[in-house]
Amino acid sequence: MCGIIGYSGPKNPLPILINGLSRLEYRGYDSSGIAILDGANLIVEKKEGKLQVLKDHLEGKHFNGNIGVGHTRWATHGVPSDLNAHPHTDNKKEFAIIHNGIIENYSELKDELVNKGFNFTSETDTEVVAVELSSKWTGNLLQTVTNVAKNLKGTFALVVTTTKEPNKIVAGRMMSPLVLGVGDEEVFLASDSAAILEHTNKMVFLENGDFVEIIDGTYKIFDINLNEIKREVQDIDWEISEAEKSGYEHFMYKEIIEQPEMIEKTLSGRLVENSIGIPIQLNEVRNFEKIWIVACGTAYHAGLFGKDLFEKVLGVPVSVELASEFRYREPIVGNKDLGIVISQSGETMDTIAATELLKENGAHVLALVNVVGSSLARMSDSVMYLHVGPEIGVASTKAYLGMLVAQLVLAKHWDIENKLNITFEEIKNIPKLVKESLECETEIINIAKGISKKNDIYFIGRGLDYALAAEGALKLKEISYLHAEALAAGELKHGTLALIEEGTPVIVTASQSHLLDKTTSNVQEVKARGAFVIAVGDDNSKKMEKISDQFISLPNAHSLLSTIISIIPLQLIAYHVAKLNGESIDQPRNLAKSVTVE
Ligand code: M6R
């Protein structure tokens, strides 16, 4: 949430900041702003609304200077407005600060500053830090920032510039992500490496409690007590084209379409027995007595798929937990447990807190994450990267598929008795199956036309199809704003059936052949109440085809693979409904890609 960009080097910062903000806009898009330092002249420009508003405002303007910071906001304290947009400055306009995270004690700090006679123009927690910096100035920016940071409670990635030391940027991180890009005599700062990939692929991932002092394109990292720290410079192998729309209208669409190619990468190098691409070997995993899969949103839905697989293969209980709930419970976790934490960004605050809980209780934590070098990847004991490339659309698509496939590969690797009854060859075929499944798009556009004006849409399924239903409903809700609800098909008669009336759309997936008869009966129940049934299946689900109003036919495959490919039509339905309704697909209202606050 909130995107940060910073630059120090020989170039004009403005285009670098604006480009970076364009790439970060998915993290927050209710206002944006920049600050450029030209000696003693601090220029701050900020605007409510999408980045385009700021771009229009800056059209034709030119600023000198070699230091700049930029921010795109997802509001926490105060409504989206010009005044609440970042950067924030102190009363004398000598300090400019951008911030991602939440300063929990801002109100106490603000009261003290008001009593001392300082003024505030915004409702944000961030402005308090700007004023604190000015009131506690020591003559050295790094020292002042660390002194102020010692009194901050909460989470932050902060980036500060000042006219008092116009060749410096100081930044610090506590829980909110911050990456340093190392170029030739230039240094970049960003909340996400994809934002600066066009300039460099050499990145330093700052750790919690790190502060960086950037002077004229060079940097040094310190802890809060100003002891210098060395951090590894990592090469990131993402291609810049992966973070661009490449001619597609929306990132979400591009990310759906590129799934076959991306899944090839998830599989690559991992589909051989004794593969070194698998971080935990069977002899180790056998010692675990319980598995906790912990995640949020789409990643949680992916975890529901993993549960069945791991229970079958390893014969140990698997509990799938919402990280936001898990972190505040007192789960009985011990040192014989394995935690599998799943996350696209690797920066989701609740998942990070849940991971800490797992670790504190002695569990071994395996992270399935997409973003290389992310917080979860670094704090976990073992990591398996999804390798699906940067995902920019707020609605997760290719990362979800990557999560399913990564879990299947893990389960297969541990499945020496072949309890899943699936071969490596079948798994290798997933990219082809995904490609064939994408061919249903024309049919989906027609279906989308039929449901785009409905108020309520139900997704039903049994077993792994229920996990799919949950994901299908979330996709539709978050980008089309239609009310969508997922139900285990057998639960309908326990209440929700009351809501089914003439023409209510019910979307059903039928990838689990052993549950087909049961699900078919549930479809009969909704049909009898007038539902308009859209079913997804293959040649094995003829029964379903007969009774449904529309049938989306997918290629025949092993039932686990049928589950995996059944998400494709659901993703396309969500996309085309939102498109028909003219919604902001990549940046849905009230949401942000990476949820780094509670
Ligand atoms: O980065 P993560 O996978 O940890 O994110 C978790 C959720 O915030 C995320 O999946 C969210 O639900 C997506 N917007 C769904 O499309």
Side-chain angles (χ1 to χ4, degrees):
M1 317 215 120
C2 299
I4 282 180
I5 179 96
Y7 177 74
S8 163
K11 297 180 190 139
N12 177 2
L14 186 61
I16 294 171
L17 300 180
I18 296 296
N19 266 345
L21 289 179
S22 308
R23 296 192 189 282
L24 289 165
E25 207 184 3
Y26 70 91
R27 297 179 70 90
Y29 30 85
D30 59 44
S31 54
S32 54
I34 53 130
I36 290 178
L37 205 51
D38 179 14
N41 185 18
L42 175 64
I43 301 132
V44 177
E45 301 279 356
K46 47 191 193 168
K47 284 280 164 207
E48 180 194 340
K50 296 225 164 152
L51 180 63
Q52 192 55 47
V53 182
L54 180 72
K55 282 185 183 166
D56 293 344
H57 170 73
L58 292 174
E59 186 69 46
K61 293 194 179 163
H62 177 81
F63 308 113
N64 292 323
N66 299 105
I67 279 186
V69 299
H71 188 267
T72 175
R73 181 171 184 248
W74 184 85
T76 56
H77 295 66
V79 295
S81 68
D82 286 1
L83 282 179
N84 287 335
H86 298 214
H88 288 282
T89 54
D90 63 306
N91 290 184
K92 291 192 238 160
K93 305 236 170 330
E94 291 172 335
F95 293 83
I97 172 171
I98 54 175
H99 166 222
N100 178 6
I102 290 179
I103 308 297
E104 286 165 4
N105 59 335
Y106 87 101
S107 146
E108 294 93 299
L109 296 172
K110 190 169 182 173
D111 288 348
E112 282 171 25
L113 290 163
V114 168
N115 286 338
K116 287 183 191 161
F118 291 99
N119 300 315
F120 288 87
T121 53
S122 81
E123 302 157 272
T124 65
D125 49 347
T126 309
E127 190 182 8
V128 174
V129 185
V131 178
E132 276 278 290
L133 290 168
S134 158
S135 83
K136 300 227 162 90
W137 176 244
T138 63
N140 175 289
L141 185 60
L142 176 66
Q143 199 178 53
T144 310
V145 171
T146 49
N147 285 349
V148 167
K150 283 178 184 159
N151 291 325
L152 300 180
K153 293 200 180 111
T155 59
F156 58 77
L158 294 172
V159 183
V160 185
T161 57
T162 177
T163 55
K164 288 169 172 286
E165 288 192 288
N167 60 340
K168 279 190 190 171
I169 298 182
V170 168
R173 157 189 178 149
M174 184 56 69
M175 300 306 282
S176 300
L178 200 55
V179 182
L180 210 62
V182 185
D184 216 6
E185 295 178 355
E186 56 187 356
V187 176
F188 304 82
L189 278 163
S191 349
D192 181 340
S193 48
I196 46 178
L197 213 53
E198 66 188 285
H199 306 290
T200 178
N201 63 354
K202 298 206 176 318
M203 310 280 173
V204 178
F205 297 96
L206 296 180
E207 301 280 350
N208 287 333
D210 283 0
F211 289 81
V212 58
E213 181 182 54
I214 301 170
I215 306 180
D216 297 330
T218 61
Y219 71 94
K220 280 187 181 168
I221 302 172
F222 301 86
D223 67 15
I224 202 161
N225 296 315
L226 301 185
N227 301 304
E228 194 174 342
I229 303 171
K230 294 282 171 223
R231 295 270 176 239
E232 188 194 348
V233 181
Q234 295 188 34
D235 280 322
I236 299 298
D237 64 0
W238 281 355
E239 300 289 331
I240 185 61
S241 59
E242 291 176 339
E244 286 174 339
K245 276 194 206 156
S246 314
Y248 290 97
E249 194 178 346
H250 299 105
F251 275 112
M252 182 187 178
Y253 187 64
K254 176 189 175 228
E255 288 159 4
I256 293 174
I257 297 298
E258 71 188 10
Q259 288 181 110
E261 199 189 317
M262 293 301 141
I263 294 307
E264 197 85 60
K265 293 190 186 175
T266 308
L267 292 173
S268 134
R270 289 189 166 130
L271 277 188
V272 277
E273 275 158 285
N274 304 319
S275 162
I276 49 155
I278 305 296
I280 303 181
Q281 301 309 314
L282 183 62
N283 55 352
E284 298 164 82
V285 87
R286 269 190 176 142
N287 295 328
F288 294 120
E289 291 176 355
K290 164 135 198 177
I291 297 179
W292 302 88
I293 300 181
V294 189
C296 297
T298 285
Y300 169 79
H301 297 153
L304 296 172
F305 175 79
K307 174 182 165 75
D308 279 25
L309 267 54
F310 300 135
E311 281 186 343
K312 193 166 200 171
V313 166
L314 300 172
V316 295
V318 179
S319 180
V320 191
E321 304 271 340
L322 288 166
S324 55
E325 292 292 318
F326 182 77
R327 62 180 292 195
Y328 293 116
R329 295 206 291 115
E330 290 179 17
I332 305 163
V333 178
N335 59 11
K336 298 238 169 81
D337 295 358
L338 169 66
I340 301 182
V341 296
I342 310 181
S343 173
Q344 188 286 128
S345 62
E347 301 293 352
T348 301
M349 178 67 77
D350 285 324
T351 312
I352 289 176
T355 303
E356 277 165 357
L357 190 153
L358 284 163
K359 291 195 66 158
E360 276 159 24
N361 286 282
H364 181 100
V365 177
L366 161 64
L368 300 188
V369 292
N370 191 36
V371 177
V372 175
S374 55
S375 300
L376 275 174
R378 283 176 290 138
M379 68 195 284
S380 300
D381 301 298
S382 318
V383 188
M384 183 166 167
Y385 285 114
L386 305 178
H387 291 303
V388 295
E391 189 178 67
I392 312 288
V394 166
S396 183
T397 51
K398 62 177 180 174
Y400 172 75
L401 205 68
M403 290 165 189
L404 300 188
V405 173
Q407 289 178 100
L408 176 60
V409 169
L410 267 180
K412 172 66 188 163
H413 188 68
W414 295 334
D415 185 18
I416 45 160
E417 291 170 38
N418 198 18
K419 291 183 181 161
L420 296 176
N421 193 21
I422 192 166
T423 63
F424 283 112
E425 285 314 310
E426 282 174 297
I427 297 178
K428 275 186 200 151
N429 203 29
I430 299 176
K432 184 166 170 275
L433 289 170
V434 173
K435 197 162 190 237
E436 287 167 19
S437 307
L438 285 164
E439 287 167 13
C440 67
E441 189 175 4
T442 318
E443 222 176 324
I444 298 284
I445 294 173
N446 280 329
I447 291 172
K449 283 180 189 152
I451 61 175
S452 64
K453 299 295 169 216
K454 298 282 182 184
N455 290 327
D456 305 294
I457 299 177
Y458 296 89
F459 287 74
I460 63 168
R462 280 176 176 261
L464 293 181
D465 284 309
Y466 169 58
L468 273 179
E471 177 57 8
L474 178 66
K475 271 319 63 107
L476 189 64
K477 272 187 274 203
E478 68 176 330
I479 58 166
S480 75
Y481 317 144
L482 300 185
H483 168 241
E485 198 173 328
L487 281 159
E491 276 295 298
L492 271 163
K493 56 186 172 297
H494 296 294
T496 313
L497 197 56
L499 295 175
I500 306 294
E501 51 189 32
E502 200 55 42
T504 306
V506 173
I507 300 176
V508 55
T509 55
S511 68
Q512 305 296 288
S513 47
H514 67 293
L515 294 169
L516 185 66
D517 287 345
K518 301 284 170 207
T519 313
T520 306
S521 303
N522 300 130
V523 169
Q524 296 283 17
E525 288 161 12
V526 293
K527 283 287 303 168
R529 273 88 191 167
F532 182 84
V533 174
I534 299 153
V536 178
D538 57 21
D539 289 347
N540 299 317
S541 26
K542 287 282 172 212
K543 277 183 193 163
M544 189 75 83
E545 183 171 4
K546 273 194 197 128
I547 57 166
S548 58
D549 297 283
Q550 276 181 297
F551 186 79
I552 301 161
S553 182
L554 294 179
N556 297 332
H558 183 288
S559 73
L560 286 174
L561 306 188
S562 291
T563 307
I564 290 177
I565 58 175
S566 293
I567 195 60
I568 304 293
L570 306 191
Q571 293 172 341
L572 286 169
I573 287 175
Y575 174 78
H576 283 291
V577 168
K579 191 173 171 199
L580 283 167
N581 290 347
E583 305 300 356
S584 171
I585 291 177
D586 286 334
Q587 295 166 354
R589 70 184 181 207
N590 306 341
L591 301 179
K593 180 71 181 161
S594 182
V595 186
T596 54
V597 295
E598 275 197 67

